[in-house]
Amino acid sequence: MSTSLAHKPLTFAQRAAAATQRVAEQQQLTDLKRLAAALAELAAEEVQRNPGFAVRLRGLYEDLAPQTKVATGRATKTAKAPAKPLTPIKRIEGFEIDPSAPLDPYFQLEIYGAEQLEAALRRHTKANLHEAAEIVQDRHPGTSPAGTSKDALLAYIIAHVRT
Amino acid sequence: MAAVVTAAKLALFETMLKTPTLADMLNLTPSDFEQFVAHVFRSAGYTVKVVAGQHFPYGPGVDLELYPSPGAKKPIARVEIKRYAADNRVGYEEVKGFNGILNHGEPLPGYFVTTSDFHPNARTFAADTNGRLRLLDGRQFLRYITYIRGSRVAQPDGTHRTATLTPPDWICTELTARQCDPRRTTVLTVANGRGGIGKTTSALNLAVALTQRGLRVLLVDLDGQASLSSALPLPDQNSKPPKNAPPPERQRYITDYFSGRCHTLVDLVQPTRIHNLWLIPANEELYRMDSGGSARVFEELAFVTAIHDATVRPLAGDRHDEPFDWIILDTPPAQSHYTRVALAAAHYVLVPVRGEAFGVLGINKVLSQAATMRALVGSGVRVTGCLITWWKNTKSARDVLPKLQSALDARDIKLYAHAIPYEDRIEQAHLSMVGGGIRTIFGFGSNEAAARYKDVLSELIQEVRPHVNEPGT
């Protein structure tokens, strides 16, 4: 895994399966397990005979190395990231960043608009969403979320912030 | 009689200073706009008298009189103010009339401030007054406000103003620092108002990653801690000099430039033990010389010109007759003159930030300082984005990250897609280099931090100049 804030990279098994699939489609072969074995054996022979291939192999091997490193390391796990990047619809000059302030759903609505509001809120942790729900409750006394799950909090916030 | 400025109006003026717009100024009454302009000049260190009601010849016939200090008897400049809509330009007759008043009695310099623009004939007339009459149009006035607002310091009487008089002359005359084309040499400043955030580590590793692409890089250490200078020993530092060798020249530092001992930066450029990497080192004398974060317009502009000077180039090696491909400036953590000049000199600014509450707080200061210095120079100083460093996937980091993302989105600032993880090999690399080695994190085989710095560099290059300066292009 890579410390990427944008996307989750493939595991080794997924990479191997994807490469085999590419060759299978190109060569119109159907038995993927047999093809994987054939590819590995041929690659082993090619390394013996073709130094250029060996250099390319070592290069790719090095490139893939950090992924195994990170997978076992506690400190470098991949950050959870939004499924797709959000596009701000408004620029606010002079806005100050306060990481300790509660999550303000009305600010999120202003920045991302109603269509992206759910995606924008979903990036936040449940603790942040609880703070956001409290802000909504202040503006809509007598209302409350239907439950304490993330989905219930999101549904409550979105329903009231959009109105 | 001058209108009284109430506390509510002062609060409004302060808000307008923070995020100045011409639309907000046009919403003020003419009298309030005069008071607002007076507030701006007070913030620039002047003592201001609003004399708009005292018409010529019974009074000065202008809107403001500027004094150097509260006790001064004679004004040192006069100001005429026109709050005009954008399509209503100030004409020749108005400017000529103001000039006539300036020349009456003891001639004084004057500033003509408007929210709109000046007719070309009016500009031509002002240009022939030998600098006595300076015109400040709406766009220039916004720049002046932004620079002054970010250069004020608290005074004993509770007000905030610049430590010295800061007239707008450099904007009126479009006196700008000479900046090079970023396609020739890209100047990147790594800055954040907080310490321990990874500024030096990021500057160093991005520089090394650039050299690995075959590019020639100059690192400029502007931090009195001199961490960067310690990490990059010069080629002959650890070797014994031969017998009967002449005594070595005194080591030169960036302080030699700021103290006036050296007038250009080219003499301070020194090779390092890393191929294609040069350094202008710092020492702790920088701290003693620091004047803080107040306005020093001409020194700031002079440094910008010095950094962008085409003579700043490697003194030896391949292509030594060509300028550097990149210049990277490492900054101190505090409010400092050196942070200001580094930001002013930058085409681009990278803001490293730790994924934690205290780490994020420093961003506001550096973004505000970047805006201030952009107002000084009039271009460049573009914040390319924030780079998460020391990334650990903890609950607090996960809480802060989306809030930071939203806040940056609101300011149209990018959060780099790749974060630099906390990794012990960064520290191992520092230990190696401080000990005289040349083993950067890229010399430790495959490791996550090295790979991410390469990813960030790719993002950065794509962001700042996708078409230039790559080998083979």
Side-chain angles (χ1 to χ4, degrees), chain A residues 36-51:
Chain A
L39 277 173
E41 282 191 19
L42 270 179
E45 281 176 24
E46 190 68 7
V47 168
Q48 299 281 344
R49 165 183 97 67
N50 182 350

Side-chain angles (χ1 to χ4, degrees), chain A residues 3 5 92 95 97 101 112 125, chain B residues 364 399 403 409-411 417 448:
Chain A
T3 313
L5 302 178
I92 302 177
F95 176 80
I97 298 165
Y112 298 113
T125 60
Chain B
N364 291 323
D399 273 354
K403 285 183 181 175
D409 281 349
R411 298 184 69 145
E448 179 82 353

